[in-house]
Amino acid sequence: MMVQQTTPEAAVSGVTTAAELNVAGTRGPSFGEPIVEYLLRLGDDRLILGHRLSEWCGHGPILEEDIALANIALDLVGASSMLLGLAGELEGKDRDADALAFFREGVQYRNALIVELPRGDFGFTIMRQFLFDAYSVVTLDALASCGHAGLAAIAAKSLKEDKYHLRHSSEWVVRLGDGTEESHNRVQASLNELWRYTGELFERDTIDEAVAAVGITLDRDALHAKWESIVNDVLQRATLTIPEKTVMASGGRRGRHTEHLGHLLSVMQSVARAHPGATW
Amino acid sequence: MTQPTTVTADESALVAAFEARIAAGESIEPKDWMPERYRRQLIRMMSQHAHSEIVGMLPEGNWITRAPSLRRKMSLIAKVQDEAGHGLYIYCGTETLGVDRHELVEQLLDGRAKYSSIFNYPTLSWADMGVIGWFVDGAAIVNQTILAKASYGPYARAMVRICKEENFHKRQGYEICATLANGTPAQREMLQDAVNRFWWPSLMMFGPSDTDSPNSAELLKWRVKRKTNDELRQRFINLTVPQAAAIGVTLPDPDLKFNAETNNWDFGEIDWDEFFQVIGGNGPCNRERIAARQQAQDEGEWVRAAATAHASKQHRTVQAA
């Protein structure tokens, strides 16, 4: 057992040494308390995905989608702002959400790889969004009743928004999958490309075990089953097929990213880093 | 040749009745009779306004991914989203005049329709996000507050709603500027540079001087416009000069001085050659703006086709059931 100590504090500190965290291979610098690391994973997913969505602003296929994608981006960045804010508070090193967003290196980011991939065409953006939304809804639904009051409150608020996001992306997946031959082929190709990034969303490591001490106990297998049921239902309606024998990619949760993240961050952080200490 | 004469006689009676309604301050609604020229002028103005909202998303969208704090990123996304909403709303308003959005977008892309000249200037620093909110939304408010009393009901009502949001954008922009003005020397320099670049193009937003404005007289008569371009420009300058002083930035016009007789701020000569170059397609970013809209249109073609195909399949399924 990872967690044997009797007090939560001791239990948490018992699993944060670099040696123990290294069980899953190499990893970037860690952030002390597992709950901080855990919140960064949630916050970074939403910040990076919100950033990718915001790249569509002014370039959408129809005006209504410019509005919808901006709205979803806004919700995701808003959620990340709360999650990173809480992470900073619990870290206790005087770093607020902005410090965490704009002054961390790529290897210190904890988002899943799927959210950092370039936006691709509208079909790729929608398919990625759908796979993430379904994951987010099942995860936040569980977190909304977890024993960590701060996180539960954020999860409950974001869950309401994410249910709308899931409805929006599901409808589009069906529309594109079932639309024309071209749209079907495009969105099937996106699904084929994206599928290998979905395994990481349900990985479980020492951080997940350690946060049990602060009341966060998610059954990843159960969440995965719920996610699969949502995904299978929508993909079936969209006449799309899940690719077989996919080797899953992994690494984001340990700071081992694709090359895309560095470029994204160099854009996102450019102004803030050019003026360290400035107020905006 | 009796028939045309009859029509003309009927028409002139209709025009007289129409103009009497306008003179009485009544609002014209979509199903009311209106002169063809009134309808065309409104389509021109309203679609130009809608296109400006849509093209205007690009210079600001350019900085969403680089906004220096999460709060600023969120408010900028929200602002650009509002602009898309305004565009959509005004396109719908224009459709009440019997023209559809698709046709209007084509007119934008092939250069037949215009949009506000200001959006052909590049956004070069974060300070531009502040200055655009302050100047460009500020100028839009001056224009639109008057348009909210325009004779065509759907346009006037759209303006009432849009003005509320533009006021919020302007405050937000001015607040960005005030923050920069209180910031580091580099931030202050960034702000002053943005002011220097956007001041004159913002004054040009009100259009040519009344003596050179081809549409003004008729638009004023039909209360599509209620004030002349020069009156609105002067009002904007009078409002903005004290705001600039309050945050310690210099407006780049050595001739700017208060005239106690007129109670106005006198200002220097606007470079109308530049204005006509920009509206003629030769501004710094005209090509990029239209190319970006064209690209969005082209790359979105398969998505729109898919949505249509799926909708008609659904329709058939419902009918078969």
Side-chain angles (χ1 to χ4, degrees):
Chain A
M1 244 192 71
M2 264 333 219
V3 181
Q4 293 172 335
Q5 289 88 343
T6 47
T7 67
E9 293 75 16
V12 168
S13 65
V15 290
T16 52
T17 65
E20 284 190 64
L21 292 176
N22 252 325
V23 288
T26 76
R27 60 182 307 121
S30 66
F31 293 92
E33 303 282 329
I35 180 65
V36 174
E37 187 99 13
Y38 193 85
L39 289 166
L40 290 176
R41 291 175 177 186
L42 291 165
D44 290 349
D45 277 352
R46 285 155 185 81
L47 176 58
I48 300 300
L49 185 56
H51 181 103
R52 284 299 187 211
L53 281 177
S54 77
E55 293 172 351
W56 278 97
C57 229
H59 307 278
I62 48 170
L63 200 42
E64 285 81 350
E65 281 310 294
D66 273 291
I67 296 173
L69 296 182
N71 204 28
I72 298 166
L74 201 50
D75 287 343
L76 291 171
V77 177
S80 84
S81 169
M82 290 186 284
L83 290 159
L84 296 182
L86 184 57
E89 234 172 78
L90 296 176
E91 186 193 40
K93 290 184 185 163
D94 208 21
R95 293 204 285 185
D96 60 8
D98 284 339
L100 288 168
F102 295 97
F103 292 92
R104 269 184 302 152
E105 302 295 326
V107 292
Q108 297 170 317
Y109 263 79
R110 292 292 180 262
N111 58 280
L113 302 177
I114 192 169
V115 297
E116 71 200 40
L117 303 174
R119 67 178 163 105
D121 68 8
F122 182 74
F124 187 89
T125 284
I126 283 296
M127 182 56 79
R128 182 233 314 263
Q129 192 64 37
F130 165 65
L131 296 169
F132 180 84
D133 288 341
Y135 156 73
S136 188
V137 165
V138 299
T139 307
L140 295 179
D141 188 39
L143 289 174
S145 55
C146 78
H148 190 285
L151 176 54
I154 298 171
K157 182 181 185 298
S158 297
L159 177 62
K160 284 184 201 146
E161 298 165 349
D162 282 23
K163 283 181 176 170
Y164 283 107
H165 304 170
L166 177 59
R167 195 166 81 187
H168 172 262
S169 58
S170 300
E171 283 170 1
W172 269 108
V173 165
V174 173
R175 234 173 249 142
L176 297 177
D178 178 57
T180 62
E181 191 184 343
E182 182 185 5
S183 70
H184 176 88
N185 292 342
R186 278 177 181 256
V187 81
Q188 178 66 58
S190 297
L191 176 61
N192 297 348
E193 173 65 22
L194 282 159
W195 192 254
R196 64 189 288 258
Y197 296 98
T198 56
E200 187 182 29
L201 299 173
F202 298 96
E203 277 175 1
R204 185 181 171 83
D205 68 5
T206 52
I207 296 292
D208 296 278
E209 292 175 19
V211 294
V214 290
I216 304 166
T217 49
L218 298 194
D219 181 346
R220 295 253 170 207
D221 292 340
L223 295 187
H224 194 189
K226 278 189 192 172
W227 177 82
E228 273 182 331
S229 144
I230 297 171
V231 168
N232 286 336
D233 169 56
V234 171
L235 293 182
Q236 194 187 356
R237 284 192 282 135
T239 71
L240 296 168
T241 321
I242 292 171
E244 287 174 15
K245 291 180 190 163
T246 307
V247 177
M248 291 294 171
S250 169
R253 302 301 189 203
R254 305 187 304 278
R256 298 301 179 232
H257 291 278
T258 67
E259 290 178 345
H260 303 297
L261 182 66
H263 294 283
L264 182 154
L265 293 180
S266 71
V267 171
M268 188 178 92
Q269 300 177 334
S270 58
V271 178
R273 288 199 178 214
H275 305 268
T279 303
W280 301 99
Chain B
M1 296 292 286
T2 48
Q3 211 172 346
T5 319
T6 314
V7 169
T8 309
D10 281 354
E11 172 130 351
S12 66
L14 286 167
V15 170
F18 170 83
E19 290 186 344
R21 287 186 62 193
I22 287 186
E26 280 182 47
S27 130
I28 306 300
E29 294 301 327
K31 286 180 179 161
D32 296 345
W33 185 88
M34 62 187 81
E36 182 56 20
R37 239 185 103 64
Y38 176 86
R39 195 181 73 87
R40 283 213 309 273
Q41 283 283 21
L42 271 165
I43 291 173
R44 186 185 63 82
M45 265 182 77
M46 291 173 73
S47 68
Q48 195 167 308
H49 189 162
H51 298 327
S52 300
E53 299 280 358
I54 302 310
V55 177
M57 294 168 72
L58 298 170
E60 291 182 280
N62 184 36
W63 282 88
I64 287 176
T65 56
R66 289 176 286 177
S69 76
L70 295 178
R71 182 170 77 95
R72 293 297 185 202
K73 189 186 285 289
M74 287 188 271
S75 52
L76 188 56
I77 295 173
K79 179 174 194 263
V80 179
Q81 187 196 16
D82 282 348
E83 283 156 10
H86 296 170
L88 190 56
Y89 197 48
I90 305 168
Y91 279 134
C92 292
T94 317
E95 285 180 331
T96 64
L97 292 158
V99 56
D100 79 12
R101 203 207 305 182
H102 181 72
E103 196 179 327
L104 297 172
V105 169
E106 273 185 5
Q107 289 174 5
L108 168 70
L109 294 177
D110 69 20
R112 274 177 293 157
K114 300 221 179 313
Y115 55 89
S116 181
S117 56
I118 193 78
F119 301 120
N120 289 314
Y121 290 85
T123 50
L124 302 179
S125 78
W126 170 253
D128 293 16
M129 298 306 100
V131 171
I132 286 179
W134 176 23
F135 286 174
V136 177
D137 290 82
I141 292 164
V142 167
N143 252 326
Q144 292 166 13
T145 308
I146 303 298
L147 287 172
K149 296 170 199 140
S151 57
Y152 189 57
Y155 195 29
R157 288 189 290 274
M159 288 307 103
V160 171
R161 188 171 134 171
I162 288 171
C163 263
K164 284 184 192 153
E165 290 182 357
E166 302 285 23
N167 268 306
F168 181 71
H169 296 163
K170 191 208 155 181
R171 276 206 303 277
Q172 193 173 285
Y174 187 64
E175 200 247 323
I176 291 175
C177 293
T179 307
L180 295 173
N182 284 317
T184 64
Q187 285 177 303
R188 283 199 293 277
E189 192 181 323
M190 186 194 289
L191 172 63
Q192 184 61 56
D193 180 62
V195 166
N196 294 348
R197 283 183 285 111
F198 277 98
W199 175 248
W200 290 105
S202 299
L203 299 189
M204 294 176 199
M205 281 176 70
F206 295 94
S209 184
D210 299 330
T211 47
D212 301 318
S213 179
N215 300 309
S216 273
E218 194 175 44
L219 295 174
L220 286 164
K221 180 178 77 176
W222 283 335
R223 296 201 179 169
V224 175
K225 282 173 84 163
R226 307 293 304 257
K227 300 262 183 202
T228 69
N229 294 351
D230 287 333
E231 285 170 324
L232 294 170
R233 187 169 13 248
Q234 185 66 60
R235 179 170 163 71
F236 170 73
I237 293 170
N238 291 351
L239 287 168
T240 308
V241 171
Q243 292 164 358
I247 57 169
V249 302
T250 308
L251 298 174
D253 179 358
D255 296 328
L256 201 60
K257 58 174 181 294
F258 190 70
N259 182 331
E261 273 175 40
T262 60
N263 253 346
N264 285 325
W265 283 86
D266 291 339
F267 56 100
E269 192 65 29
I270 292 173
D271 182 354
W272 291 113
D273 287 345
E274 177 179 321
F275 173 76
F276 287 111
Q277 283 294 338
V278 175
I279 60 166
N282 297 311
C285 294
N286 296 56
R287 286 172 184 79
E288 286 89 339
R289 300 298 183 231
I290 291 300
R293 289 312 310 159
Q294 184 69 57
Q295 191 182 358
Q297 183 75 0
D298 294 346
E299 290 178 355
E301 183 58 45
W302 71 272
V303 177
R304 296 188 297 275
T308 309
H310 175 70
S312 62
K313 281 184 199 176
Q314 292 296 100
H315 185 63
R316 280 199 298 274
T317 313
V318 171
Q319 279 190 329

